[in-house]
Amino acid sequence: MTSVAHHLLWFLPMLWLGMVLAISFLEAPLKFRAPGVTLALGLGIGRIVFRGLNICECVWAALLLIAAAVADPGVGTWGWLIAAIVLLAVQLVAIRPPLTRRSNRVLAGEDGPRSTAHYWYIGTEVLKVITLIGLALAAAP
């Protein structure tokens, strides 16, 4: 069992990393460039896609915590894992709610100032990419 847990500690961060890179840094900006995609349609798609991503991220985080508890890795692995989970929590608890409120206003037809929460989300995504790479490297066999 410990062997499986050790492998999950480097495999799951790479899977999580691939999802973040594909969705946050590829799908999210490109969908608005597709013909016929309005701001409202793009926001609607984005909400569904990011909700799915966040659910997967929570599952990966839980599985990683279980694998770390079983494998009993070094302090470095724990540090990277906790950092990734904290960044995810900040996104879900502190950044996503203002983004949701802003998209609700836009979808209701309001025009208003742009939100800085988007930049905070991107910044935490960049930091999360770094932590997931660090976690995979620290846990690599």
Side-chain angles (χ1 to χ4, degrees), residues 18-29 31 49-50 52-53 125:
M19 293 175 74
V20 168
L21 291 173
I23 292 172
S24 293
F25 298 105
L26 192 60
E27 183 274 340
K31 77 173 158 270
V49 169
F50 274 93
L53 172 64
E125 285 292 76

Side-chain angles (χ1 to χ4, degrees), residues 27-84:
E27 183 274 340
L30 289 179
K31 77 173 158 270
F32 291 101
R33 299 178 72 190
V37 174
T38 63
L39 178 59
L41 182 59
L43 287 175
I45 292 168
R47 288 172 107 165
I48 293 168
V49 169
F50 274 93
R51 187 178 308 120
L53 172 64
N54 292 153
I55 290 167
C56 289
E57 288 180 299
C58 289
V59 170
W60 301 152
L63 290 174
L64 282 163
L65 282 172
I66 293 167
V70 170
D72 192 28
V75 126
T77 300
W78 275 109
W80 288 112
L81 176 55
I82 297 304

Side-chain angles (χ1 to χ4, degrees), residues 2 11 18 20 37 56 59 64-65 70 83 86-87 92 100 126 130:
T2 302
F11 173 75
V20 168
V37 174
C56 289
V59 170
L64 282 163
L65 282 172
V70 170
V86 166
L87 287 166
L92 296 176
T100 300
V126 170
I130 293 167

